[in-house]
Amino acid sequence: MVVAAALAGCGGGNDKDNQSDLPAAPENIEFSTPTFKDGGAIPAANTCDGAGKPPTIVWRALPAGAIELVLVVEDPDASDGTFTHWTAWGISASTGAGLAPEGQFPAGLKEGKNSAGKVGWTPPCPPKGDDAHHYTFSLYALDKGLTLEPGASPEAVTAVLKGALGRGTFTGTYQRAS
C-alpha cells in the first residue's frame, strides 16, 4: 500500500522550478547519514524498490537553547510540486547528538501526514523513466516543544518551523530503472 501511495503522490515531471516551502534557518546543525554521501544515490533498499525503510540519520552540534528537533523530508522534483515524504517531531534535543537507525527514534516521536495522505515515512519512488529525483532531509532545532497532534499536515509542520534556532540538511537522489 505504501508503494502504491508513493507512486500516486510522487509523480514525475522533473520541473526543476519546484521549490520547498521550508523556512530558512541558520545552517548550524551537523546532519548526515552513513547510508549515502550528501548528494549521492539513495540505496534501493531505502526506496519502493527495496524494503522502503528510511536511512539511518545522525546529528551533532545542536545550537544552544534547542529543546525539540523536527525532521522534514521532501522531493522538490515531483510533478505536482514538492512532495513531502516524512515529517517527525517530538525528538528531544537534550542529548545534543543523536542517531536514528532506519528511522527509529526514542520514545516521544510524533509523525505527520505525508503528501500521500499517510502518517509516517513514504519511501522514494519516482516514476520510471524520470531523471533522478532529489530528496532533501532537513532537521530543525526549536527552542520550544511542539503541541502538534500526530497526523498533522505537512503545512502545519512547516508553519511551526519559522524562527528555528538552526537547521541541517543533506540530499540524496534516486532514479528508478525504466
Side-chain angles (χ1 to χ4, degrees), residues 106-123:
L109 175 80
K110 294 178 180 130
E111 296 176 294
K113 283 186 181 172
N114 53 49
S115 294
K118 306 291 183 187
V119 173
W121 165 255
T122 291

Side-chain angles (χ1 to χ4, degrees), residues 7 10-11 48 75 124-128 130-133 135 174-176:
L7 287 170
C10 193
C48 67
D75 171 7
C125 197
K128 291 181 178 182
D130 266 16
D131 291 339
H133 282 218
Y135 299 87
Y174 190 65
Q175 181 176 21
R176 298 180 72 202

Side-chain angles (χ1 to χ4, degrees):
M1 289 180 85
V2 171
V3 172
L7 287 170
C10 193
N14 296 322
D15 178 359
K16 299 300 180 195
D17 292 332
N18 289 340
Q19 297 293 316
S20 171
D21 290 330
L22 294 178
E27 292 281 342
N28 56 6
I29 299 174
E30 294 177 31
F31 184 47
S32 63
T33 179
T35 309
F36 55 89
K37 290 182 180 181
D38 185 21
I42 298 172
N46 298 110
T47 73
C48 67
D49 292 320
K53 292 185 178 183
T56 295
I57 59 173
V58 181
W59 61 90
R60 291 183 282 299
L62 298 177
I67 293 174
E68 186 167 326
L69 305 177
V70 179
L71 174 69
V72 180
V73 180
E74 295 184 321
D75 171 7
D77 299 323
S79 64
D80 295 335
T82 299
F83 184 96
T84 301
H85 282 264
W86 196 14
T87 59
W89 61 94
I91 306 164
S92 175
S94 64
T95 60
L99 169 71
E102 294 186 337
Q104 299 302 309
F105 291 93
L109 175 80
K110 294 178 180 130
E111 296 176 294
K113 283 186 181 172
N114 53 49
S115 294
K118 306 291 183 187
V119 173
W121 165 255
T122 291
C125 197
K128 291 181 178 182
D130 266 16
D131 291 339
H133 282 218
H134 297 79
Y135 299 87
T136 304
F137 292 71
S138 300
L139 186 71
Y140 283 81
L142 304 178
D143 62 358
K144 62 185 179 249
L146 298 181
T147 58
L148 290 173
E149 293 295 321
S153 71
E155 297 79 16
V157 175
T158 299
V160 301
L161 300 177
K162 292 181 178 92
L165 298 172
R167 139 182 172 165
T169 62
F170 65 86
T171 301
T173 63
Y174 190 65
Q175 181 176 21
R176 298 180 72 202
S178 297

